Amino acid sequence: MSNLSNHTGEINIAHPELWTLHLALHKRVLRYMLFNREQDNSLIAGEIPLDSSAGSYLKSVENAVYDNSALLDDYGEVRLLVDTRHFVLLPPDVSDDSEADTLLRAQYPDMDGDTALCELPVSGVKLAFELPPELLGFLQRTFNMAPIVHHLQPLCDYYARFCQRSSVRRMFLNFHDEQMDMVVFEHDRLQLANTFDVRTHTDAAFMALHAWESLGMDVHSDELQLTGDKSIRDQVSAELRRYINYVMPAIFPAAAMHLSHDAMRAPFNLITLALCE
């Protein structure tokens, strides 16, 4: 029987201090993942729609969290993931929040939110990103200063490990919410990380091929791997195989199956976040 739930009201965990909560904030939904590392097949995952009529994104997130009290239990560990397009990759020696804020605002001079900074330790870079106004303060107060990372962070660090000692360059595409995350590595060196809106498989294939050509990747020997929403992934794969020799589904992490036999149904960035701790 699947232990994935779509209703936080059904979750009743006797000892939350033994569990980990990962919460992903997207434009229209909150996605959550709960698991106990010491308990096989413990994974509970689902999503909570955000009310677009709440007046602001902050208010819609507040309502979703407070209306689902299972998210507020005293978990042993909480990590938060934010899906935002305003971000910059920075060298690892940027450690000052004010410097990160200055660099981010130089890239997005019209931004009106707050700046957060997260590390990509395996990839060897840092990432500064914008959160909507007052959201950072709400998350820090509500979840007791839990780490907040950008949605590309777990993908980059998971695939950086995968690409170590590799003799080929690899592009990874992850499909979700009419979006395509793109991460490219040469050995374990991160070359590109970005997210694009994709409404059709032809849009996605065009963007992937444009990046492939711009980076000078080899259609005969380099690899392109895909994960995420199967409906668009399969169509994009078929299109890209016309031009690139090695196009394949990404291998799902075997370690994730310890969390649940149904782990493949959970959001891939939350799964990789769990594996990159």
Side-chain angles (χ1 to χ4, degrees):
M1 177 181 296
S2 169
N3 66 349
L4 294 181
S5 171
N6 286 315
H7 308 284
T8 52
E10 298 175 359
I11 299 172
N12 184 12
I13 296 174
H15 296 285
E17 69 276 8
L18 303 177
W19 288 64
T20 295
L21 168 66
H22 287 171
L23 188 64
L25 288 75
H26 296 276
K27 182 184 294 185
R28 300 183 184 90
V29 299
L30 297 186
R31 294 196 173 99
Y32 60 88
M33 194 172 85
L34 286 157
F35 58 95
N36 182 339
R37 295 186 185 277
E38 303 304 317
Q39 181 179 326
D40 286 349
N41 205 36
S42 63
L43 184 67
I44 302 168
E47 64 180 44
I48 304 163
L50 294 177
D51 182 4
S52 60
S53 66
S56 69
Y57 183 74
L58 172 66
K59 187 63 177 175
S60 68
V61 172
E62 288 179 339
N63 292 345
V65 170
Y66 292 140
D67 289 347
N68 293 273
S69 59
L71 298 177
L72 298 171
D73 281 350
D74 190 17
Y75 295 108
E77 183 176 0
V78 177
R79 299 181 79 189
L80 308 171
L81 184 148
V82 179
D83 186 345
T84 173
R85 297 298 185 85
H86 284 186
F87 72 93
V88 291
L89 292 169
L90 302 172
D93 57 352
V94 174
S95 58
D96 185 84
D97 288 350
S98 63
E99 182 182 3
D101 181 73
T102 298
L103 293 169
L104 183 63
R105 291 181 188 278
Q107 183 71 26
Y108 304 102
D110 60 341
M111 65 175 272
D112 60 356
D114 299 309
T115 298
L117 181 67
C118 68
E119 292 191 40
L120 285 67
V122 184
S123 301
V125 298
K126 293 185 177 179
L127 195 156
F129 56 101
E130 181 187 12
L131 282 77
E134 301 183 60
L135 180 63
L136 179 61
F138 167 73
L139 295 175
Q140 291 176 330
R141 292 190 306 271
T142 305
F143 295 101
N144 194 26
M145 301 299 290
I148 303 173
V149 301
H150 188 268
H151 73 275
L152 287 172
Q153 188 256 23
L155 295 177
C156 290
D157 268 5
Y158 173 74
Y159 285 127
R161 288 191 178 100
F162 183 84
C163 290
Q164 287 175 342
R165 296 179 297 278
S166 171
S167 61
V168 300
R169 299 167 74 185
R170 289 188 174 95
M171 174 182 288
F172 300 92
L173 304 178
N174 178 48
F175 296 96
H176 61 95
D177 305 297
E178 296 186 334
Q179 297 177 9
M180 177 178 71
D181 301 325
M182 179 186 297
V183 177
V184 180
F185 282 92
E186 182 173 13
H187 308 300
D188 59 352
R189 185 171 68 88
L190 180 65
Q191 290 193 293
L192 183 150
N194 211 341
T195 297
F196 305 92
D197 291 324
V198 289
R199 298 193 178 276
T200 68
H201 72 279
T202 52
D203 289 343
F206 173 81
M207 292 175 187
L209 288 169
H210 178 72
W212 186 280
E213 182 177 354
S214 298
L215 292 170
M217 299 182 72
D218 192 323
V219 297
H220 301 292
S221 61
D222 293 332
E223 295 181 4
L224 193 152
Q225 300 189 20
L226 305 92
T227 190
D229 187 337
K230 190 175 187 300
S231 60
I232 186 170
R233 185 187 71 201
D234 290 349
Q235 295 180 74
V236 174
S237 295
E239 185 70 20
L240 291 175
R241 287 192 183 105
R242 297 170 56 193
Y243 308 98
I244 299 170
N245 278 6
Y246 297 105
V247 178
M248 63 202 76
I251 299 172
F252 191 79
M257 303 309 288
H258 165 73
L259 301 176
S260 172
H261 298 307
D262 292 322
M264 293 180 70
R265 293 174 55 193
F268 191 68
N269 53 9
L270 291 181
I271 286 291
T272 50
L273 184 63
L275 299 179
C276 289
E277 293 180 338

